[in-house]
Amino acid sequence: MAPKGSFENQFEDYSPDVTANILNNSRDGISERFQAKLLKFKNEKLNILKMKMESDIFYDGTVYTGSTGLALFYFLESLRNDNNPESLKTALEYINLDNLKGRRISFLCGDAGPLALATVISYKLGPKHPDKSLPDYKTLAQRLMSLISLLNESPDELLYGKSGYLYALLFVNKHISGKEVIPVKHIEKVINSILKSGKQYSAAMKCESPLLWQWHEKVYFGAAHGMAGILYMLLQARLFINVVEIRTFIKPAIDWLLNQRFPSGNFPSSMGSSSGDKLVQWCHGAPGFVPLCILAYQIFEEEKYLKIAVQCGNVIWDRGLCTKGYSICHGVSGNAYAFIQLYQATKKPMYLYQACCFMEWCAVERTGTELHHPDRPASLFEGLVGRIYLAEDITRALDAKFPAFSL
């Protein structure tokens, strides 16, 4: 019997014999047959999106629920095709810089996402781009940097807060290599603000963890609103952080957080949560901890972190076919990314197979496997764009990045 909140996983457990139609002969990539299925799925769904769901695509201008989520997909497509200018121009069709309100700081749900993406696209297209309405990348970078005025009034978490802004800054510098578009001091100011509030709240709560953050008066643990997401972003920004801060504050906070696990290997959604061990999704639960544990393992070279990531993978395989549906945020697509991350870290074909099984679940859409219809069915994090993004990513799994989270 399936645990509450998930369907029973009836996919066969991995063995070399069961992968024939999914993985290639050397089991280091997907088979031509499965790739053809994904291409058909991607093309059909893109057609449906553009023909029948246009108004929902433009629900708002954000990465999370709006048109910039589709822009991010076309940006990914351009990266996969040597910075193809046509894909970059298509991406621009889904970014509206005129409607930005200047009220939210984050990449996913604020102005930082459209501005960061537009900055990089403007740079890659160069000054010869015929669309004169697109500002120069330096002008866009200045607009992105001006959002720092919202820093002190913003939360620390990823979806709406400072960690999401930090991602936007790192995103720009990553994709415009060789130039310091966002100055070091600007990035350090954001990091120091996150660390300061983490230290202050920990002291106020007299917590064993040297860093603690709250959102809406709760200490959330997961990737979207909680400590896993914040700590993962700080680790990705480690080049801007003093090694003493990393060893004295960030690493002990990670260790404390990982000790909050349930015996099952899953994680509570928040400190003192009464909801129990039931959520297995990227935003709350084991899937959002996999990238944190893998990166901690790679940085600190301690086996315990990889062991916990593997345990999280077991939880996701057992309980990750969420009844909520196929979304990246709280559904099966987001859970598939945890297997991709485990595959990248271990190179074990089992994890690529498991990611493909979850991808197939999302593509086939069997009747009754989405008990909660998404509020924004065309979006990247709740809807169809997320599945299309995963279908593109899984074809080159070693290069895949969880959108708006992994750099």
Side-chain angles (χ1 to χ4, degrees):
M1 186 176 164
K4 191 175 180 182
S6 65
F7 294 103
E8 186 176 347
N9 185 349
Q10 296 187 337
F11 290 107
E12 288 187 76
D13 285 335
Y14 173 80
S15 73
D17 300 332
V18 303
T19 65
N21 293 326
I22 293 178
L23 302 187
N24 61 21
N25 289 339
S26 52
R27 295 195 289 278
D28 60 357
I30 63 176
S31 67
E32 287 184 14
R33 183 174 175 182
F34 195 64
Q35 191 148 350
K37 278 185 180 179
L38 292 183
L39 185 62
K40 182 170 183 277
F41 165 80
K42 193 174 74 173
N43 290 338
E44 284 178 358
K45 294 303 185 183
L46 275 171
N47 194 43
I48 290 169
L49 262 181
K50 294 181 174 182
M51 301 297 290
K52 298 181 180 178
M53 303 176 78
E54 190 177 27
S55 62
D56 193 67
I57 291 171
F58 289 96
Y59 165 73
D60 63 23
T62 69
V63 172
Y64 188 93
T65 48
S67 58
T68 308
L70 188 53
L72 197 64
F73 167 75
Y74 281 110
F75 177 73
L76 170 69
E77 194 174 71
S78 79
L79 292 181
R80 293 277 167 88
N81 294 286
D82 298 320
N83 294 319
N84 180 282
E86 294 311 310
S87 295
L88 292 173
K89 289 171 189 173
T90 304
L92 281 178
E93 294 172 19
Y94 296 97
I95 301 174
N96 189 335
L97 299 175
D98 296 329
N99 283 353
L100 301 182
K101 303 285 195 299
R103 291 180 197 151
R104 279 188 179 158
I105 200 172
S106 73
F107 188 92
L108 274 168
C109 295
D111 290 7
L115 283 170
L117 197 52
T119 301
V120 174
I121 292 171
S122 177
Y123 173 79
K124 286 181 180 291
L125 288 175
K128 296 177 183 175
H129 178 52
D131 182 2
K132 300 302 178 192
S133 66
L134 179 67
D136 174 71
Y137 79 94
K138 292 177 184 174
T139 305
L140 290 165
Q142 283 298 324
R143 282 187 68 182
L144 175 63
M145 287 167 61
S146 71
L147 291 175
I148 203 163
S149 63
L150 301 171
L151 197 65
N152 291 338
E153 65 194 62
S154 299
D156 296 284
E157 49 84 80
L158 185 79
L159 244 65
Y160 302 108
K162 299 171 196 172
S163 295
Y165 184 50
L166 178 58
Y167 177 87
L169 303 176
L170 297 173
F171 177 90
V172 168
N173 276 3
K174 178 190 173 176
H175 291 291
I176 305 181
S177 57
K179 294 178 185 287
E180 191 189 89
V181 181
I182 310 296
V184 168
K185 283 195 177 338
H186 192 87
I187 295 172
E188 286 176 346
K189 189 173 180 181
V190 178
I191 291 168
N192 290 338
S193 178
I194 295 170
L195 288 172
K196 183 182 176 183
S197 54
K199 292 171 187 176
Q200 287 177 340
Y201 194 64
S202 169
M205 295 292 287
K206 296 182 172 58
C207 183
E208 287 179 23
S209 171
L211 296 170
L212 201 69
W213 296 274
Q214 59 88 26
W215 185 71
H216 286 210
E217 299 178 1
K218 274 189 179 181
V219 176
Y220 281 96
F221 289 158
H225 301 297
M227 291 181 68
I230 298 168
L231 290 165
Y232 180 57
M233 210 53 64
L234 290 172
L235 284 187
Q236 290 186 100
R238 63 193 176 278
L239 293 179
F240 302 92
I241 305 173
N242 184 297
V243 69
V244 176
E245 292 273 7
I246 293 173
R247 289 284 174 180
T248 310
F249 291 94
I250 294 175
K251 186 179 185 294
I254 293 170
D255 292 341
W256 177 87
L257 177 64
L258 298 181
N259 280 332
Q260 308 309 307
R261 278 179 305 157
F262 289 118
S264 70
N266 194 28
F267 286 84
S269 59
S270 61
M271 187 188 286
S273 171
S274 59
S275 59
D277 180 2
K278 64 179 183 182
L279 297 177
V280 181
Q281 53 202 47
W282 171 77
C283 49
H284 301 293
F289 285 79
V290 170
L292 172 65
C293 291
I294 288 173
L295 191 51
Y297 165 68
Q298 291 166 343
I299 294 168
F300 303 120
E301 299 180 335
E302 294 181 21
E303 287 289 332
K304 66 179 182 181
Y305 297 118
L306 184 60
K307 186 178 177 184
I308 294 171
V310 167
Q311 288 170 347
C312 286
N314 295 337
V315 171
I316 300 161
W317 182 245
D318 290 341
R319 299 164 52 192
L321 294 174
C322 307
T323 57
K324 288 180 180 177
Y326 317 120
S327 78
I328 278 188
C329 182
H330 39 262
V332 181
S333 291
N335 291 352
Y337 270 99
F339 296 130
I340 292 174
Q341 290 151 351
L342 282 161
Y343 173 64
Q344 291 170 341
T346 67
K347 307 297 186 293
K348 290 183 177 178
M350 177 181 81
Y351 294 119
L352 183 57
Y353 165 76
Q354 290 176 335
C356 289
C357 290
F358 275 38
M359 174 73 248
E360 185 185 53
W361 177 274
C362 295
V364 173
E365 301 174 0
R366 293 176 183 84
T367 304
T369 56
E370 186 177 50
L371 301 188
H372 300 265
H373 194 62
D375 294 333
R376 301 268 59 95
S379 67
L380 175 61
F381 265 67
E382 292 182 4
L384 188 51
V385 174
R387 283 186 281 159
I388 295 170
Y389 199 103
L390 173 63
E392 175 73 21
D393 247 356
I394 209 168
T395 59
R396 299 184 204 178
L398 288 175
D399 299 321
K401 307 284 184 189
F402 194 109
F405 191 48
S406 295
L407 289 156

